[in-house]
Amino acid sequence: MTPSTPYRLPDAAFWALVAASVLFCLVHAARRSPGRAATPQGAAGAGARHSAFQRFFHWANATTVAILLVSGLAIYDSLSLGNLGRTTAFWFAWHLWISPAYAALLVAHVLYEYRAPGHVDEMWPAGATPGKYDRAQILFHWAVALNLAALVLTGAMLWKPLRALLPLRLLGLGWEFVFVNRVLHGLFTGTLLALLLAHVYFALLVRDNWPRLRSMVLGSRGTR
């Protein structure tokens, strides 16, 4: 397929999203003073205590999203991956069966966070209860969450078993609507990849966030 094929996100648009994320990270790194001291661990890491379930969800979610990204790009072949030496059916099977696993993880995460007192309040930017995350991190969390939700919804339109359960005919929505969702699915894949690149940059290369990263890798110390 060429970038001009209808109902396909142009490869140039996909790469532009990724390039914008890389440029943002480079500019952020350049604006930081090389001699700037990191925030003391007591300040940056005081609230960075993660439970065993939170650590499990984070890394299980990262694994499933990574598999979905690789398999989805191999199916779509928007980056000329050549299916990575496997057939389209191989990658579609992975994409098909990992999607329910991701959905199950998401449901478990929501149930856990609503069960734990204070977890919901600390994830709202305007919340009065201070938590382990600052406002920028909370906004970033919601950007990723909404992006993933958009991928789930647009993916449901493309997956025939799920699409058959949706009242598209009753709503007067035909194949045109399904094909538009194909473009949107590619668009939200690009924005997700851009967000994840920024996430990796801030987690690994911004020293202020290292105490929180250690908590996510090694576990919590003390109690909330």
Side-chain angles (χ1 to χ4, degrees):
M1 282 189 177
T2 63
S4 60
T5 303
Y7 304 118
R8 172 186 174 87
L9 181 73
D11 290 352
F14 187 96
W15 279 113
L17 293 169
V18 176
S21 177
V22 173
L23 180 62
F24 170 81
C25 294
L26 290 174
V27 171
H28 182 273
R31 289 175 61 88
R32 289 175 61 84
S33 171
R36 180 184 172 207
T39 303
Q41 181 168 341
R49 293 186 289 270
H50 297 90
S51 67
F53 176 83
Q54 288 173 321
R55 298 196 309 278
F56 165 77
F57 171 77
H58 178 273
W59 295 110
N61 186 59
T63 301
T64 55
V65 169
I67 295 174
L68 288 171
L69 273 173
V70 172
S71 60
L73 289 173
I75 294 168
Y76 196 62
D77 201 22
S78 63
L79 305 184
S80 301
L81 296 176
N83 284 341
L84 298 176
R86 298 283 186 171
T87 64
T88 300
F90 171 86
W91 290 115
F92 184 78
W94 275 98
H95 207 73
L96 177 67
W97 293 111
I98 293 298
S99 296
Y102 167 74
L105 281 170
L106 183 61
V107 170
H109 171 65
V110 171
L111 292 176
Y112 173 84
E113 295 299 335
Y114 271 90
R115 179 193 61 83
H119 282 198
V120 176
D121 291 342
E122 70 183 11
M123 291 312 298
W124 292 104
T129 304
K132 65 171 69 78
Y133 305 109
D134 60 33
R135 181 165 298 185
Q137 290 167 328
I138 293 171
L139 290 173
F140 182 84
H141 166 270
W142 282 109
V144 173
L146 292 173
N147 198 127
L148 288 169
L151 280 170
V152 169
L153 292 174
T154 54
M157 299 295 174
L158 302 178
W159 188 21
K160 187 176 180 180
L162 279 180
R163 186 173 70 235
L165 300 177
L166 301 173
L168 298 184
R169 290 186 179 179
L170 294 178
L171 297 174
L173 302 174
W175 281 109
E176 184 82 10
F177 178 75
V178 175
F179 292 149
V180 168
N181 273 274
R182 187 170 186 251
V183 178
L184 293 175
H185 201 67
L187 172 65
F188 290 122
T189 299
T191 53
L192 176 65
L193 186 55
L195 288 168
L196 292 182
L197 287 174
H199 175 60
V200 171
Y201 162 73
F202 280 99
L204 297 182
L205 300 181
V206 178
R207 191 174 178 183
D208 293 355
N209 295 321
W210 288 359
R212 186 174 291 105
L213 177 62
R214 282 195 292 270
S215 174
M216 186 59 74
V217 174
L218 302 176
S220 60
R221 295 182 179 180
T223 58
R224 281 183 59 86

